[in-house]
């Protein structure tokens, strides 16, 4: 199943933090979207897995951020976070080192998708929790959320 929800009234367009706790039953090269803030295929911010955990941002069809955190394993539960603000992006997985990117723009967002996005595949496991914070949390807080 996929939840699609409008972001009007709760999304901070300038800065925010996305969190997801999930498990993958299969790890593959297919894009496994867990939590996505999106307008269309050209404008999105996402927590996803391929063979590695990633936090990415696309604006106007151009990839702005691609923070790769760690390799994924089937059957493992992950706590994964991505934070955004113009020229101030970060991601962490399971209490690991916070990866950062200090260059990039934030796209316009209209919808939150949990479980998939057009063109992606299901995460092949349970999504246990999703949270959104209407602020770009500090890196130490990001690491603490994923411990």
């Amino acid at each position: 199943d996929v939840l699609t929800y409008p972001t009007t009234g709760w999304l901070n367009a300038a800065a925010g933090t996305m969190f997801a706790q999930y498990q993958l039953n299969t790890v593959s090269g297919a894009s496994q979207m867990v939590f996505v803030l999106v307008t269309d295929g050209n404008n999105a911010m996402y927590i996803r897995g391929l063979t590695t955990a990633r936090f990415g941002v696309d604006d106007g069809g151009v990839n702005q951020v691609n923070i790769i955190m760690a390799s994924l394993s089937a059957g493992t539960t992950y706590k994964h976070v991505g934070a955004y603000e113009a020229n101030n992006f970060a991601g962490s997985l399971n209490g690991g080192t916070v990866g950062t990117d200090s260059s990039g723009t934030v796209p316009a967002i209209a919808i939150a998708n949990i479980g998939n996005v057009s063109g992606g595949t299901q995460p092949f496991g349970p999504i246990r929790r999703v949270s959104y914070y209407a602020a770009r949390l500090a890196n130490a807080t990001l690491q603490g959320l994923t411990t």
Side-chain angles (χ1 to χ4, degrees), residues 58-128:
D58 298 334
D59 188 8
V62 177
N63 182 253
Q64 300 290 313
V65 174
N66 186 30
I67 299 172
I68 301 171
M69 283 152 264
S71 294
L72 298 172
S73 298
T76 302
T77 298
Y78 294 99
K79 291 181 180 178
H80 192 162
V81 68
Y84 67 91
E85 183 175 54
N87 301 316
N88 185 13
F89 300 89
S92 183
L93 183 76
N94 286 357
T97 302
V98 176
T100 61
D101 189 326
S102 60
S103 176
T105 57
V106 176
I109 298 298
I111 298 167
N113 284 327
I114 299 169
N116 200 358
V117 69
S118 178
T121 57
Q122 293 294 71
F124 304 112
I127 297 174
R128 299 177 190 275

Side-chain angles (χ1 to χ4, degrees), residues 3 13 45 65 70 109 135 141:
L3 172 67
M45 295 182 284
V65 174
I109 298 298
T141 304

